[in-house]
Amino acid sequence: MRKFVLFSLFIALLIYSSFGCKSDNNDENLKKFWEYYNSKIEQFELENEQFKDTKVDAVFLGDSLTDGYDLKKFYPKYIVLNRGISGDTTIFLEERLEVSLFAIQPKVAVMLIGANNMDTMFENYENILKSFEQKVPHTKIILLSLTSMGGEWGKKNQLAAYNNVQIKMLAEKYNYEFVDLYSALLNLEDGEIYDEYAQPDGGHLTTEGYQVLTKYIKPVLQKLLEEN
């Protein structure tokens, strides 16, 4: 775990320094991020011990969109674990897969990741998929598209849509399920997420937004669980 922490801290410094923030603010933001990140890893380790003799139905992997997803509310019939961490990237997620997923060996894994490093997410996205094949070969995989967004986040909608094509192609390559959340949330009239689905920042979701996500994810999850 110490090697994981040191490596991820190095990556975090690179990412946060790239935003060009003032040093004091940058250091404080990084400190808060890291405290939260480590607290989540500790939580996951405790949960792994708790569920070591239980066959978990699904693990949800991701960033703040997953972290803020009330899985117990939306999937009450299943044993589901939330392995989202706000601020996460594909880089961090790959480094924490052992504690977040591999130690659990769930029936299904659902992944939504990339919004925080959209420009570089494919530098290691496929590495994550390859590790699924190697480490959890009996786990069914659902890849979720990036969501449509609004406000300042909405400026990246075109890139998100482009990246989603690549995610879908990778899902086909590895024979994984793909769920398009982008179109489900998009208001075609203005090219951004529907106001009622997004929080004021335009990037995070309201309860109504999560209801839409669940509407599209749950049938695919149910199908895979029935196949197990």
Side-chain angles (χ1 to χ4, degrees):
M1 181 58 68
R2 179 173 175 77
K3 289 182 178 179
F4 164 77
V5 170
L6 290 175
F7 175 81
S8 296
L9 180 57
F10 171 72
I11 296 299
L13 287 168
L14 291 178
I15 291 173
Y16 277 85
S17 65
S18 69
F19 292 121
C21 302
K22 292 182 179 179
S23 179
D24 290 345
N25 291 337
N26 189 43
D27 290 346
E28 184 61 27
N29 288 338
L30 180 58
K31 179 182 178 182
K32 290 179 180 179
F33 167 80
W34 205 245
E35 288 175 349
Y36 182 71
Y37 199 94
N38 281 331
S39 72
K40 294 293 285 189
I41 295 297
E42 291 174 2
Q43 174 190 324
F44 299 162
E45 291 174 333
L46 291 174
E47 287 177 347
N48 290 349
E49 185 65 23
Q50 177 185 352
F51 288 94
K52 65 180 181 180
D53 298 320
T54 303
K55 190 61 178 177
V56 172
D57 290 315
V59 164
F60 282 65
L61 301 163
D63 49 38
S64 58
L65 292 181
T66 301
D67 202 352
Y69 197 175
D70 190 345
L71 298 178
K72 292 183 179 179
K73 172 184 175 181
F74 288 107
Y75 303 90
K77 295 182 179 180
Y78 304 115
I79 301 174
V80 292
L81 297 180
N82 190 321
R83 296 303 167 81
I85 300 182
S86 295
D88 210 355
T89 64
T90 57
I91 297 169
F92 286 6
L93 178 61
E94 183 181 8
E95 289 300 313
R96 67 177 174 90
L97 283 174
E98 179 62 41
V99 67
S100 298
L101 177 64
F102 302 156
I104 289 292
Q105 298 284 314
K107 297 176 183 177
V108 178
V110 184
M111 185 172 75
L112 171 54
I113 193 68
N116 293 316
N117 66 318
M118 211 177 294
D119 295 319
T120 61
M121 61 181 286
F122 290 107
E123 290 181 4
N124 73 314
Y125 193 96
E126 190 166 5
N127 289 344
I128 295 173
L129 305 189
K130 290 178 180 177
S131 71
F132 291 165
E133 281 194 324
Q134 297 167 359
K135 300 291 187 177
V136 284
H138 302 297
T139 296
K140 305 289 186 179
I141 307 297
I142 301 174
L143 301 182
L144 305 180
S145 77
L146 300 171
T147 65
S148 47
M149 299 163 286
E152 286 299 309
W153 282 97
K155 295 177 180 180
K156 288 197 170 186
N157 273 346
Q158 186 174 358
L159 177 58
Y162 175 78
N163 285 0
N164 286 337
V165 174
Q166 296 188 67
I167 295 174
K168 184 177 181 181
M169 291 173 63
L170 286 169
E172 293 171 351
K173 177 179 177 179
Y174 287 86
N175 198 28
Y176 294 156
E177 296 288 340
F178 173 80
V179 178
D180 177 14
L181 303 177
Y182 183 94
S183 302
L185 298 167
L186 183 66
N187 183 345
L188 292 174
E189 292 185 3
D190 61 16
E192 295 192 350
I193 188 172
Y194 280 97
D195 290 340
E196 60 266 32
Y197 296 157
Q199 294 185 23
D201 67 358
H204 295 90
L205 301 179
T206 60
T207 298
E208 291 78 11
Y210 281 115
Q211 287 173 343
V212 174
L213 258 63
T214 305
K215 176 183 176 182
Y216 282 82
I217 297 169
K218 184 176 283 187
V220 182
L221 177 61
Q222 287 176 332
K223 182 190 74 170
L224 294 182
L225 289 173
E226 289 170 0
E227 292 175 356
N228 272 327

